[in-house]
Short mmCIF file of all heavy atoms in Angstrom, two decimals:
data_model
loop_
_atom_site.label_atom_id
_atom_site.label_comp_id
_atom_site.label_asym_id
_atom_site.label_seq_id
_atom_site.Cartn_x
_atom_site.Cartn_y
_atom_site.Cartn_z
N LEU A 1084 3.78 -0.56 -11.62
CA LEU A 1084 4.18 -1.54 -12.74
C LEU A 1084 5.51 -1.09 -13.37
O LEU A 1084 6.26 -1.92 -13.77
CB LEU A 1084 3.16 -1.52 -13.74
CG LEU A 1084 1.74 -2.27 -13.29
CD1 LEU A 1084 0.80 -2.13 -14.49
CD2 LEU A 1084 1.99 -3.62 -12.97
N GLU A 1085 5.63 0.26 -13.54
CA GLU A 1085 6.82 0.71 -14.26
C GLU A 1085 6.94 2.17 -14.03
O GLU A 1085 6.07 2.87 -13.59
CB GLU A 1085 6.85 0.46 -15.75
CG GLU A 1085 5.72 1.10 -16.43
CD GLU A 1085 5.64 0.68 -18.02
OE1 GLU A 1085 6.42 -0.19 -18.37
OE2 GLU A 1085 4.89 1.30 -18.72
N ALA A 1086 8.25 2.75 -14.17
CA ALA A 1086 8.53 4.13 -14.03
C ALA A 1086 9.61 4.49 -15.11
O ALA A 1086 10.40 3.71 -15.51
CB ALA A 1086 9.17 4.37 -12.68
N VAL A 1087 9.37 5.64 -15.47
CA VAL A 1087 10.28 6.21 -16.65
C VAL A 1087 11.68 6.59 -16.03
O VAL A 1087 12.66 6.21 -16.57
CB VAL A 1087 9.69 7.49 -17.29
CG1 VAL A 1087 10.70 8.16 -18.17
CG2 VAL A 1087 8.45 7.06 -18.12
N ARG A 1088 11.65 7.18 -14.85
CA ARG A 1088 12.95 7.43 -14.25
C ARG A 1088 13.65 6.16 -13.67
O ARG A 1088 12.83 5.18 -13.29
CB ARG A 1088 12.67 8.43 -12.98
CG ARG A 1088 12.41 9.83 -13.32
CD ARG A 1088 11.96 10.71 -12.20
NE ARG A 1088 12.87 10.77 -11.09
CZ ARG A 1088 14.06 11.44 -11.04
NH1 ARG A 1088 14.35 12.34 -12.04
NH2 ARG A 1088 14.77 11.50 -9.95
N ASP A 1089 14.95 6.17 -13.56
CA ASP A 1089 15.71 4.97 -13.13
C ASP A 1089 15.88 4.98 -11.60
O ASP A 1089 16.41 4.15 -11.01
CB ASP A 1089 16.94 4.89 -13.80
CG ASP A 1089 17.96 6.10 -13.52
OD1 ASP A 1089 17.48 7.05 -12.82
OD2 ASP A 1089 19.00 6.13 -14.11
N ARG A 1090 15.32 6.02 -10.91
CA ARG A 1090 15.36 6.11 -9.44
C ARG A 1090 14.17 6.79 -8.97
O ARG A 1090 13.59 7.75 -9.68
CB ARG A 1090 16.62 6.64 -8.99
CG ARG A 1090 16.79 8.17 -9.46
CD ARG A 1090 18.14 8.62 -8.93
NE ARG A 1090 18.27 10.02 -9.14
CZ ARG A 1090 18.63 10.62 -10.32
NH1 ARG A 1090 18.74 9.84 -11.36
NH2 ARG A 1090 18.68 12.02 -10.42
N PRO A 1091 13.77 6.50 -7.68
CA PRO A 1091 12.67 7.31 -7.08
C PRO A 1091 13.05 8.68 -6.90
O PRO A 1091 14.17 8.95 -6.60
CB PRO A 1091 12.33 6.60 -5.83
CG PRO A 1091 12.98 5.27 -5.89
CD PRO A 1091 14.22 5.53 -6.79
N HIS A 1092 12.18 9.74 -6.98
CA HIS A 1092 10.76 9.56 -7.04
C HIS A 1092 10.33 10.48 -8.24
O HIS A 1092 11.10 11.01 -8.84
CB HIS A 1092 10.02 10.00 -5.71
CG HIS A 1092 10.31 9.19 -4.59
ND1 HIS A 1092 9.50 8.02 -4.42
CD2 HIS A 1092 11.19 9.08 -3.61
CE1 HIS A 1092 9.91 7.45 -3.29
NE2 HIS A 1092 10.95 7.99 -2.90
N GLY A 1093 8.99 10.81 -8.39
CA GLY A 1093 8.53 11.73 -9.36
C GLY A 1093 8.63 11.08 -10.78
O GLY A 1093 8.87 9.99 -10.96
N GLY A 1094 8.33 11.89 -11.73
CA GLY A 1094 8.40 11.52 -13.19
C GLY A 1094 7.08 10.67 -13.56
O GLY A 1094 6.07 10.64 -12.84
N GLU A 1095 7.10 10.06 -14.74
CA GLU A 1095 5.99 9.32 -15.26
C GLU A 1095 6.01 7.87 -14.58
O GLU A 1095 7.01 7.19 -14.75
CB GLU A 1095 5.98 9.30 -16.73
CG GLU A 1095 4.75 8.53 -17.28
CD GLU A 1095 4.77 8.57 -18.86
OE1 GLU A 1095 5.12 9.51 -19.40
OE2 GLU A 1095 4.40 7.47 -19.43
N VAL A 1096 4.91 7.46 -13.99
CA VAL A 1096 4.94 6.13 -13.46
C VAL A 1096 3.49 5.47 -13.85
O VAL A 1096 2.51 6.14 -14.23
CB VAL A 1096 5.02 6.19 -11.82
CG1 VAL A 1096 6.31 6.65 -11.45
CG2 VAL A 1096 3.85 7.10 -11.33
N THR A 1097 3.63 4.19 -13.83
CA THR A 1097 2.30 3.41 -14.05
C THR A 1097 2.02 2.42 -12.97
O THR A 1097 2.90 1.76 -12.48
CB THR A 1097 2.47 2.55 -15.49
OG1 THR A 1097 2.84 3.48 -16.43
CG2 THR A 1097 1.22 1.77 -15.80
N TYR A 1098 0.79 2.52 -12.50
CA TYR A 1098 0.29 1.59 -11.37
C TYR A 1098 -0.77 0.61 -11.91
O TYR A 1098 -1.49 0.92 -12.85
CB TYR A 1098 -0.29 2.48 -10.32
CG TYR A 1098 0.66 3.37 -9.59
CD1 TYR A 1098 0.69 4.70 -9.97
CD2 TYR A 1098 1.51 3.03 -8.51
CE1 TYR A 1098 1.61 5.57 -9.37
CE2 TYR A 1098 2.36 3.89 -7.88
CZ TYR A 1098 2.39 5.19 -8.27
OH TYR A 1098 3.24 6.02 -7.76
N LEU A 1099 -0.79 -0.46 -11.29
CA LEU A 1099 -1.96 -1.36 -11.39
C LEU A 1099 -2.95 -0.98 -10.29
O LEU A 1099 -2.60 -0.83 -9.18
CB LEU A 1099 -1.52 -2.88 -11.19
CG LEU A 1099 -2.63 -3.84 -11.38
CD1 LEU A 1099 -3.01 -3.89 -12.78
CD2 LEU A 1099 -2.11 -5.34 -10.89
N ALA A 1100 -4.13 -0.76 -10.76
CA ALA A 1100 -5.19 -0.40 -9.72
C ALA A 1100 -6.48 -1.13 -10.00
O ALA A 1100 -6.78 -1.61 -11.16
CB ALA A 1100 -5.47 1.13 -10.01
N GLU A 1101 -7.21 -1.28 -8.94
CA GLU A 1101 -8.51 -2.11 -8.96
C GLU A 1101 -9.68 -1.16 -8.88
O GLU A 1101 -9.68 -0.20 -8.19
CB GLU A 1101 -8.50 -3.04 -7.71
CG GLU A 1101 -9.75 -3.89 -7.60
CD GLU A 1101 -9.70 -4.72 -6.35
OE1 GLU A 1101 -8.72 -5.20 -6.01
OE2 GLU A 1101 -10.81 -4.88 -5.69
N VAL A 1102 -10.63 -1.52 -9.68
CA VAL A 1102 -11.96 -0.75 -9.63
C VAL A 1102 -13.06 -1.78 -9.36
O VAL A 1102 -12.98 -2.98 -9.70
CB VAL A 1102 -12.28 -0.01 -10.94
CG1 VAL A 1102 -11.26 1.16 -11.12
CG2 VAL A 1102 -12.12 -0.90 -12.12
N ALA A 1103 -14.20 -1.32 -8.71
CA ALA A 1103 -15.23 -2.18 -8.31
C ALA A 1103 -15.96 -2.84 -9.54
O ALA A 1103 -16.39 -3.98 -9.53
CB ALA A 1103 -16.12 -1.53 -7.46
N GLN A 1104 -16.05 -2.04 -10.65
CA GLN A 1104 -16.74 -2.51 -11.91
C GLN A 1104 -16.02 -1.83 -13.12
O GLN A 1104 -15.41 -0.80 -12.97
CB GLN A 1104 -18.19 -2.22 -11.86
CG GLN A 1104 -18.47 -0.65 -11.69
CD GLN A 1104 -19.91 -0.46 -11.37
OE1 GLN A 1104 -20.80 -1.42 -11.17
NE2 GLN A 1104 -20.47 0.76 -11.50
N PRO A 1105 -16.24 -2.45 -14.18
CA PRO A 1105 -15.59 -1.98 -15.52
C PRO A 1105 -15.97 -0.48 -15.74
O PRO A 1105 -17.12 0.00 -15.57
CB PRO A 1105 -16.04 -2.84 -16.55
CG PRO A 1105 -16.31 -4.19 -15.85
CD PRO A 1105 -16.85 -3.82 -14.55
N VAL A 1106 -15.04 0.39 -16.27
CA VAL A 1106 -15.16 1.74 -16.58
C VAL A 1106 -14.51 1.87 -18.02
O VAL A 1106 -13.63 1.10 -18.42
CB VAL A 1106 -14.58 2.67 -15.56
CG1 VAL A 1106 -15.33 2.44 -14.25
CG2 VAL A 1106 -13.07 2.46 -15.47
N PRO A 1107 -14.91 2.95 -18.71
CA PRO A 1107 -14.34 3.25 -20.00
C PRO A 1107 -12.85 3.50 -19.84
O PRO A 1107 -12.39 4.13 -18.99
CB PRO A 1107 -15.09 4.50 -20.41
CG PRO A 1107 -16.28 4.49 -19.80
CD PRO A 1107 -16.01 3.91 -18.47
N ALA A 1108 -11.93 2.72 -20.68
CA ALA A 1108 -10.53 2.87 -20.53
C ALA A 1108 -9.93 2.60 -21.87
O ALA A 1108 -10.53 1.94 -22.88
CB ALA A 1108 -10.02 1.91 -19.49
N GLU A 1109 -8.69 3.01 -22.18
CA GLU A 1109 -7.95 2.77 -23.31
C GLU A 1109 -7.44 1.26 -23.30
O GLU A 1109 -7.34 0.70 -22.24
CB GLU A 1109 -6.72 3.57 -23.45
CG GLU A 1109 -6.99 5.13 -23.42
CD GLU A 1109 -5.80 5.98 -23.30
OE1 GLU A 1109 -4.63 5.30 -23.23
OE2 GLU A 1109 -5.85 7.13 -23.33
N VAL A 1110 -7.30 0.73 -24.46
CA VAL A 1110 -6.63 -0.68 -24.56
C VAL A 1110 -5.30 -0.67 -24.09
O VAL A 1110 -4.43 0.16 -24.31
CB VAL A 1110 -6.67 -1.11 -25.97
CG1 VAL A 1110 -5.95 -2.47 -26.16
CG2 VAL A 1110 -8.02 -1.23 -26.52
N TRP A 1111 -4.93 -1.64 -23.20
CA TRP A 1111 -3.59 -1.84 -22.71
C TRP A 1111 -3.04 -3.17 -23.17
O TRP A 1111 -3.69 -4.19 -23.02
CB TRP A 1111 -3.63 -1.82 -21.15
CG TRP A 1111 -2.21 -1.94 -20.55
CD1 TRP A 1111 -1.22 -1.09 -20.65
CD2 TRP A 1111 -1.77 -3.06 -19.73
NE1 TRP A 1111 -0.08 -1.58 -20.02
CE2 TRP A 1111 -0.35 -2.79 -19.38
CE3 TRP A 1111 -2.38 -4.33 -19.26
CZ2 TRP A 1111 0.35 -3.67 -18.59
CZ3 TRP A 1111 -1.57 -5.14 -18.49
CH2 TRP A 1111 -0.19 -4.75 -18.19
N ALA A 1112 -1.98 -3.13 -23.89
CA ALA A 1112 -1.40 -4.37 -24.53
C ALA A 1112 -0.39 -5.07 -23.61
O ALA A 1112 0.26 -5.99 -24.16
CB ALA A 1112 -0.77 -3.93 -25.88
N GLY A 1113 -0.14 -4.60 -22.46
CA GLY A 1113 0.80 -5.22 -21.54
C GLY A 1113 0.37 -6.55 -20.98
O GLY A 1113 -0.69 -6.98 -21.26
N ARG A 1114 1.19 -7.11 -20.20
CA ARG A 1114 0.83 -8.44 -19.58
C ARG A 1114 1.32 -8.43 -18.07
O ARG A 1114 2.31 -7.89 -17.78
CB ARG A 1114 1.56 -9.54 -20.35
CG ARG A 1114 1.26 -11.05 -19.76
CD ARG A 1114 1.98 -12.04 -20.56
NE ARG A 1114 1.75 -13.38 -20.14
CZ ARG A 1114 2.17 -14.48 -20.70
NH1 ARG A 1114 3.11 -14.30 -21.66
NH2 ARG A 1114 1.98 -15.67 -20.14
N LEU A 1115 0.34 -8.99 -17.30
CA LEU A 1115 0.60 -9.05 -15.81
C LEU A 1115 1.32 -10.30 -15.51
O LEU A 1115 0.71 -11.39 -15.79
CB LEU A 1115 -0.60 -8.75 -15.04
CG LEU A 1115 -1.37 -7.44 -15.17
CD1 LEU A 1115 -2.68 -7.49 -14.44
CD2 LEU A 1115 -0.52 -6.34 -14.77
N GLU A 1116 2.53 -10.30 -14.89
CA GLU A 1116 3.17 -11.55 -14.76
C GLU A 1116 3.13 -11.82 -13.12
O GLU A 1116 3.31 -10.93 -12.28
CB GLU A 1116 4.53 -11.39 -15.14
CG GLU A 1116 4.84 -11.19 -16.62
CD GLU A 1116 4.54 -12.45 -17.36
OE1 GLU A 1116 4.34 -13.50 -16.79
OE2 GLU A 1116 4.52 -12.31 -18.65
N PRO A 1117 2.96 -13.14 -12.72
CA PRO A 1117 3.04 -13.42 -11.35
C PRO A 1117 4.45 -13.33 -10.78
O PRO A 1117 5.44 -13.37 -11.55
CB PRO A 1117 2.43 -14.93 -11.25
CG PRO A 1117 2.85 -15.36 -12.77
CD PRO A 1117 2.75 -14.26 -13.65
N HIS A 1118 4.54 -13.16 -9.50
CA HIS A 1118 5.83 -13.16 -8.84
C HIS A 1118 5.69 -13.95 -7.55
O HIS A 1118 4.85 -13.63 -6.68
CB HIS A 1118 6.32 -11.77 -8.52
CG HIS A 1118 7.90 -11.67 -8.23
ND1 HIS A 1118 8.23 -12.05 -6.95
CD2 HIS A 1118 8.92 -11.23 -8.93
CE1 HIS A 1118 9.59 -11.87 -6.94
NE2 HIS A 1118 9.98 -11.42 -8.10
N PRO A 1119 6.67 -14.89 -7.24
CA PRO A 1119 6.47 -15.70 -6.03
C PRO A 1119 6.67 -14.91 -4.69
O PRO A 1119 6.08 -15.39 -3.65
CB PRO A 1119 7.65 -16.68 -6.06
CG PRO A 1119 8.69 -15.87 -7.11
CD PRO A 1119 7.86 -15.11 -7.98
N LEU A 1120 7.21 -13.75 -4.69
CA LEU A 1120 7.37 -12.93 -3.53
C LEU A 1120 6.24 -11.86 -3.31
O LEU A 1120 6.24 -11.13 -2.29
CB LEU A 1120 8.76 -12.32 -3.44
CG LEU A 1120 9.93 -13.18 -3.32
CD1 LEU A 1120 11.22 -12.58 -3.19
CD2 LEU A 1120 9.73 -14.19 -2.24
N ARG A 1121 5.38 -11.70 -4.32
CA ARG A 1121 4.36 -10.67 -4.15
C ARG A 1121 3.34 -10.93 -3.05
O ARG A 1121 2.80 -12.16 -3.02
CB ARG A 1121 3.69 -10.64 -5.62
CG ARG A 1121 2.63 -9.43 -5.63
CD ARG A 1121 2.18 -9.17 -6.98
NE ARG A 1121 3.25 -8.72 -7.95
CZ ARG A 1121 3.49 -9.16 -9.08
NH1 ARG A 1121 2.70 -10.11 -9.65
NH2 ARG A 1121 4.47 -8.75 -9.85
N GLN A 1122 3.00 -9.90 -2.34
CA GLN A 1122 2.07 -10.03 -1.26
C GLN A 1122 0.69 -9.86 -1.68
O GLN A 1122 0.41 -9.34 -2.73
CB GLN A 1122 2.45 -9.07 -0.15
CG GLN A 1122 3.83 -9.20 0.40
CD GLN A 1122 4.12 -10.56 1.02
OE1 GLN A 1122 3.39 -10.92 1.97
NE2 GLN A 1122 5.10 -11.34 0.61
N SER A 1123 -0.25 -10.32 -0.97
CA SER A 1123 -1.66 -10.36 -1.41
C SER A 1123 -2.25 -8.85 -1.43
O SER A 1123 -3.07 -8.71 -2.18
CB SER A 1123 -2.55 -11.13 -0.30
OG SER A 1123 -2.43 -10.49 0.94
N TYR A 1124 -1.69 -7.94 -0.67
CA TYR A 1124 -2.22 -6.61 -0.81
C TYR A 1124 -1.98 -5.97 -2.17
O TYR A 1124 -2.41 -4.82 -2.42
CB TYR A 1124 -1.82 -5.78 0.28
CG TYR A 1124 -0.28 -5.50 0.43
CD1 TYR A 1124 0.40 -4.63 -0.40
CD2 TYR A 1124 0.61 -6.30 1.28
CE1 TYR A 1124 1.82 -4.38 -0.27
CE2 TYR A 1124 1.87 -6.05 1.43
CZ TYR A 1124 2.57 -5.17 0.60
OH TYR A 1124 3.94 -5.07 0.73
N ALA A 1125 -1.03 -6.54 -2.91
CA ALA A 1125 -0.67 -5.98 -4.20
C ALA A 1125 -1.36 -6.74 -5.32
O ALA A 1125 -1.04 -6.50 -6.53
CB ALA A 1125 0.83 -6.10 -4.42
N GLU A 1126 -2.27 -7.63 -4.97
CA GLU A 1126 -3.09 -8.50 -5.92
C GLU A 1126 -4.46 -7.98 -5.83
O GLU A 1126 -5.06 -7.59 -4.90
CB GLU A 1126 -2.85 -9.93 -5.62
CG GLU A 1126 -1.44 -10.51 -5.77
CD GLU A 1126 -1.06 -10.66 -7.30
OE1 GLU A 1126 -1.78 -10.18 -8.19
OE2 GLU A 1126 -0.15 -11.45 -7.41
N PRO A 1127 -5.21 -8.11 -6.99
CA PRO A 1127 -6.71 -7.84 -7.04
C PRO A 1127 -7.37 -8.58 -5.96
O PRO A 1127 -7.15 -9.76 -5.75
CB PRO A 1127 -7.12 -8.33 -8.47
CG PRO A 1127 -5.93 -8.22 -9.22
CD PRO A 1127 -4.79 -8.52 -8.33
#
Side-chain angles (χ1 to χ4, degrees):
L1084 290 180
E1085 60 183 9
V1087 171
R1088 284 171 56 84
D1089 60 359
R1090 65 184 185 277
H1092 293 274
E1095 183 179 322
V1096 291
T1097 301
Y1098 295 95
L1099 183 67
E1101 179 183 319
V1102 288
Q1104 56 188 11
V1106 297
E1109 303 171 1
V1110 174
W1111 182 65
R1114 183 176 179 181
L1115 299 175
E1116 300 288 351
H1118 193 285
L1120 299 183
R1121 183 169 296 136
Q1122 300 299 300
S1123 62
Y1124 60 80
E1126 296 281 16

